[in-house]
Amino acid sequence: MRKLIAGNWKMNGALVANQTLIHALLDGLRAQPAVCDVALCPPAVYLAQVQALLHGQDAIALGAQDASEHEAGAFTGDTAAAMLHEFGVRYVIVGHSERRSYQGESDAQVARKAQRALAAGITPIVCVGESLLEREQGQTEAVVARQLAALLECNGNRVADMALAYEPLWAIGTGHAATPQQAQAVHAALRARLHDALGAQAADVRILYGGSMNAANAASLLAQPDIDGGLIGGASLKAPDFLEIIAAAR
């Protein structure tokens, strides 16, 4: 299975800075081609610019940071998955911990967003993860199992066409990543639950790690048997760091 390294720019970027970053990434990947899949997920207002900057190459795919649970209609501020598809978006992040926390997105809502993405021909990267309190109370596996169960209830075997991203909330943007052993334990638990639901197809579902993965710790995390890539935040805004993470995904 080819690993996937997806850069989540979050609410960062500017026209000139985006151009400089993407040119540096493409130059780096021409010099050292990736042996993994790579995607960039900029804010929605920059999708057209990034689509144009990525035109004519196949080293980096375009991703988005969110999609609506609705197909169309009176939902001001939302972006339909079909609209993203028109801009060449191939991946979309749904259920990121920041949206679950700040926008109050429920497990069921996240599952419906993933369903809309698939219907539009886009691969959803569905985020799951626990808070620090939940980890300290020994609830990690129960929390991610609940989140995964909602996804399976809504989408059934189509979950095999998605990617998951385990992102412990206590590691998001803190600089304190889970240890490779902590991350692998949760990834293995997710894989086991996927196997119970999907059978042999579970082996084809990429489970990414998200949570302060950086150039220094990427190789050790990506070496774990059930870690199939990374959902990268801050490090994806620095071309040398992001390229080093991509090079570690072998």
Side-chain angles (χ1 to χ4, degrees), residues 33-49:
V35 295
C36 64
D37 294 330
V38 181
L40 292 176
C41 302
V45 295
Y46 295 128
L47 284 172
Q49 181 205 18

Side-chain angles (χ1 to χ4, degrees), residues 24-90:
L25 291 174
L26 291 175
D27 286 346
L29 292 173
R30 278 189 286 269
Q32 183 178 348
V35 295
C36 64
D37 294 330
V38 181
L40 292 176
C41 302
V45 295
Y46 295 128
L47 284 172
Q49 181 205 18
V50 176
Q51 179 192 30
L53 290 168
L54 296 178
H55 180 73
Q57 57 79 51
D58 58 8
I60 301 176
L62 182 60
Q65 295 181 11
D66 188 36
S68 177
E69 64 183 299
H70 305 288
E71 186 173 1
F75 303 100
T76 300
D78 281 11
T79 304
M83 297 174 182
L84 298 176
H85 185 266
E86 286 196 312
F87 282 84
V89 169
R90 290 174 52 193

Side-chain angles (χ1 to χ4, degrees), residues 88-106:
V89 169
R90 290 174 52 193
Y91 299 94
V92 62
I93 303 166
V94 297
H96 191 281
S97 61
E98 290 160 357
R99 295 201 61 84
R100 290 180 187 262
S101 298
Y102 305 151
Q103 278 75 33
E105 293 186 1
S106 67

